[in-house]
Coordinates of all heavy atoms in Angstrom, one line a residue:
E156 N -7.0 -22.2 -8.5 CA -7.0 -22.4 -10.1 C -5.5 -22.8 -10.6 O -4.8 -21.9 -11.0 CB -7.4 -21.1 -10.8 CG -8.9 -20.9 -10.6 CD -9.3 -19.4 -11.2 OE1 -8.4 -18.8 -11.7 OE2 -10.4 -19.0 -11.1
G157 N -5.3 -24.1 -10.3 CA -3.9 -24.6 -10.5 C -3.0 -24.1 -9.3 O -3.4 -24.0 -8.2
K158 N -1.8 -23.8 -9.6 CA -0.8 -23.4 -8.5 C -0.7 -22.0 -8.3 O 0.1 -21.5 -7.5 CB 0.5 -24.1 -8.9 CG 0.7 -25.5 -9.0 CD 0.5 -26.1 -7.6 CE 0.5 -27.6 -7.7 NZ 0.3 -28.3 -6.4
R159 N -1.4 -21.2 -9.1 CA -1.4 -19.8 -9.1 C -1.9 -19.2 -7.7 O -3.0 -19.7 -7.3 CB -2.1 -19.2 -10.2 CG -1.9 -17.7 -10.3 CD -2.6 -17.1 -11.7 NE -4.0 -17.3 -11.5 CZ -4.8 -16.5 -11.0 NH1 -4.3 -15.4 -10.5 NH2 -6.2 -16.7 -11.1
R160 N -1.2 -18.3 -7.1 CA -1.6 -17.7 -5.9 C -1.8 -16.1 -6.1 O -1.1 -15.6 -7.0 CB -0.7 -17.9 -4.7 CG -0.5 -19.4 -4.5 CD 0.5 -19.7 -3.4 NE 0.2 -19.0 -2.0 CZ -0.5 -19.7 -1.2 NH1 -0.9 -21.0 -1.4 NH2 -0.7 -19.3 0.0
E161 N -2.7 -15.5 -5.4 CA -2.7 -14.1 -5.6 C -2.3 -13.4 -4.3 O -2.4 -13.9 -3.2 CB -4.4 -13.8 -5.7 CG -5.2 -14.3 -4.6 CD -6.7 -13.9 -4.8 OE1 -7.0 -13.2 -5.8 OE2 -7.4 -14.5 -4.0
K162 N -1.9 -12.1 -4.5 CA -1.3 -11.3 -3.5 C -2.3 -10.3 -3.1 O -2.7 -9.5 -3.9 CB 0.1 -10.8 -3.9 CG 0.6 -10.0 -2.8 CD 2.2 -9.5 -3.1 CE 2.9 -8.9 -2.0 NZ 4.3 -8.4 -2.4
L163 N -2.7 -10.3 -1.8 CA -3.7 -9.5 -1.3 C -3.1 -8.6 -0.2 O -2.1 -8.8 0.5 CB -5.0 -10.3 -1.0 CG -5.6 -11.2 -1.9 CD1 -6.7 -12.0 -1.3 CD2 -6.2 -10.3 -3.1
S164 N -3.9 -7.7 0.2 CA -3.6 -6.7 1.3 C -4.9 -6.4 2.1 O -5.9 -6.3 1.5 CB -2.8 -5.6 1.0 OG -3.6 -4.7 0.3
L165 N -4.7 -6.1 3.5 CA -5.9 -5.7 4.2 C -6.3 -4.3 3.8 O -5.5 -3.6 2.9 CB -5.5 -5.7 5.6 CG -5.2 -7.1 6.3 CD1 -4.9 -6.9 7.7 CD2 -6.3 -7.9 6.1
I166 N -7.4 -3.8 4.2 CA -7.9 -2.6 3.8 C -7.9 -1.4 5.0 O -8.3 -1.8 6.1 CB -9.4 -2.6 3.3 CG1 -9.3 -3.6 2.2 CG2 -9.9 -1.3 3.0 CD1 -10.8 -3.9 1.6
G167 N -7.4 -0.3 4.7 CA -7.4 0.7 5.6 C -6.1 1.3 6.3 O -5.2 0.4 6.3
D168 N -6.1 2.5 6.7 CA -5.0 3.0 7.4 C -5.5 3.8 8.6 O -6.1 4.9 8.4 CB -4.2 4.0 6.4 CG -3.0 4.5 7.0 OD1 -2.6 4.2 8.1 OD2 -2.4 5.5 6.4
F169 N -5.1 3.3 9.8 CA -5.6 3.9 11.0 C -4.5 4.4 11.9 O -4.6 4.5 13.1 CB -6.5 2.8 11.8 CG -7.6 2.2 10.9 CD1 -7.4 0.9 10.3 CD2 -8.7 2.8 10.5 CE1 -8.3 0.3 9.5 CE2 -9.7 2.1 9.7 CZ -9.5 0.9 9.2
S170 N -3.4 4.7 11.1 CA -2.3 5.1 12.0 C -2.4 6.5 12.6 O -1.8 6.8 13.6 CB -1.1 5.1 11.0 OG -1.2 6.0 9.9
S171 N -3.2 7.4 11.9 CA -3.3 8.8 12.4 C -3.9 8.8 13.8 O -3.5 9.5 14.8 CB -4.2 9.7 11.5 OG -5.4 9.1 11.3
S172 N -5.0 8.1 14.1 CA -5.7 8.2 15.4 C -4.9 7.4 16.4 O -4.6 7.8 17.6 CB -7.1 7.5 15.3 OG -7.0 6.3 14.8
A173 N -4.2 6.3 16.0 CA -3.5 5.5 16.9 C -2.1 6.2 17.4 O -1.9 6.4 18.5 CB -2.9 4.3 16.2
E174 N -1.5 6.9 16.4 CA -0.3 7.7 16.7 C -0.6 8.9 17.6 O 0.2 9.3 18.5 CB 0.5 8.0 15.5 CG 1.1 6.8 14.8 CD 1.7 7.1 13.4 OE1 1.4 8.3 13.0 OE2 2.6 6.5 13.0
F175 N -1.8 9.5 17.2 CA -2.1 10.6 18.0 C -2.5 10.3 19.4 O -1.9 11.1 20.4 CB -3.4 11.3 17.4 CG -3.9 12.5 18.0 CD1 -3.1 13.6 18.4 CD2 -5.2 12.6 18.5 CE1 -3.6 14.8 19.0 CE2 -5.7 13.7 19.0 CZ -4.8 14.7 19.4
F176 N -3.0 9.1 19.6 CA -3.4 8.7 21.0 C -2.0 8.4 21.7 O -2.0 8.8 23.0 CB -4.2 7.5 20.9 CG -4.6 6.9 22.3 CD1 -5.7 7.5 23.1 CD2 -3.9 5.7 22.6 CE1 -6.0 6.9 24.4 CE2 -4.3 5.2 23.9 CZ -5.3 5.8 24.7
V177 N -1.1 7.8 21.2 CA 0.1 7.3 21.8 C 0.9 8.6 22.1 O 1.6 8.7 23.1 CB 0.9 6.4 21.0 CG1 2.2 6.1 21.5 CG2 0.2 5.0 20.9
T178 N 0.8 9.5 21.2 CA 1.8 10.8 21.3 C 1.2 11.6 22.5 O 2.0 12.1 23.4 CB 1.6 11.6 20.1 OG1 2.2 10.9 19.0 CG2 2.4 13.0 20.3
I179 N -0.1 11.7 22.7 CA -0.7 12.5 23.8 C -0.3 11.7 25.1 O 0.0 12.3 26.2 CB -2.2 12.6 23.7 CG1 -2.5 13.4 22.5 CG2 -2.8 13.2 24.9 CD1 -1.8 14.8 22.5
A180 N -0.4 10.4 25.1 CA -0.1 9.6 26.3 C 1.4 9.8 26.7 O 1.6 10.0 27.9 CB -0.4 8.1 26.0
V181 N 2.3 9.8 25.7 CA 3.7 10.0 26.1 C 4.0 11.4 26.7 O 4.7 11.6 27.6 CB 4.6 9.8 24.8 CG1 6.1 10.2 25.0 CG2 4.5 8.2 24.4
F182 N 3.5 12.3 26.0 CA 3.7 13.8 26.4 C 3.0 14.0 27.9 O 3.6 14.7 28.7 CB 3.2 14.8 25.6 CG 4.2 15.1 24.4 CD1 3.8 14.6 23.1 CD2 5.3 15.7 24.6 CE1 4.8 14.8 22.0 CE2 6.2 16.1 23.6 CZ 6.0 15.5 22.3
A183 N 2.0 13.4 28.1 CA 1.2 13.5 29.3 C 2.2 12.7 30.5 O 2.2 13.3 31.6 CB -0.2 12.9 29.3
F184 N 2.7 11.7 30.1 CA 3.5 10.9 31.1 C 4.7 11.7 31.4 O 5.1 11.9 32.6 CB 4.1 9.6 30.4 CG 5.0 9.0 31.2 CD1 4.8 8.3 32.4 CD2 6.3 8.9 30.7 CE1 5.8 7.7 33.0 CE2 7.3 8.3 31.3 CZ 7.2 7.7 32.6
L185 N 5.4 12.4 30.5 CA 6.6 13.3 30.6 C 6.3 14.4 31.4 O 6.9 14.8 32.4 CB 7.2 13.6 29.3 CG 7.9 12.5 28.4 CD1 8.3 13.0 27.1 CD2 9.0 11.7 29.2
Y186 N 5.2 15.1 31.1 CA 4.8 16.3 31.9 C 4.3 15.9 33.4 O 4.8 16.7 34.3 CB 3.6 17.0 31.2 CG 3.1 18.2 32.1 CD1 3.7 19.3 32.0 CD2 2.0 18.1 32.9 CE1 3.3 20.4 32.8 CE2 1.6 19.2 33.6 CZ 2.3 20.5 33.6 OH 1.9 21.5 34.3
S187 N 3.6 14.9 33.6 CA 3.3 14.4 34.9 C 4.5 14.1 35.8 O 4.5 14.4 36.9 CB 2.4 13.3 34.8 OG 3.0 12.1 34.2
L188 N 5.6 13.5 35.0 CA 6.7 13.3 35.8 C 7.5 14.6 36.2 O 8.0 14.7 37.3 CB 7.8 12.4 35.0 CG 7.5 10.9 35.0 CD1 8.4 10.2 34.1 CD2 7.4 10.2 36.3
A189 N 7.6 15.4 35.3 CA 8.2 16.8 35.5 C 7.4 17.5 36.7 O 8.0 18.1 37.4 CB 8.4 17.6 34.2

């Protein structure tokens, strides 16, 4: 509609499950090394 543009964003926040997974992996790695 002319030169006008709209600003959009994706939907959802999935950081909790991803960060929890990575945190467990890091601590498991450190403990297994120790």
Side-chain angles (χ1 to χ4, degrees):
E156 297 176 356
K158 297 294 184 180
R159 188 172 65 87
R160 298 176 69 88
E161 60 181 348
K162 189 173 184 178
L163 302 173
S164 62
L165 298 179
I166 299 175
D168 183 5
F169 311 101
S170 59
S171 58
S172 59
E174 290 177 341
F175 179 53
F176 179 80
V177 172
T178 300
I179 297 303
V181 171
F182 278 105
F184 169 73
L185 294 177
Y186 177 78
S187 60
L188 282 184

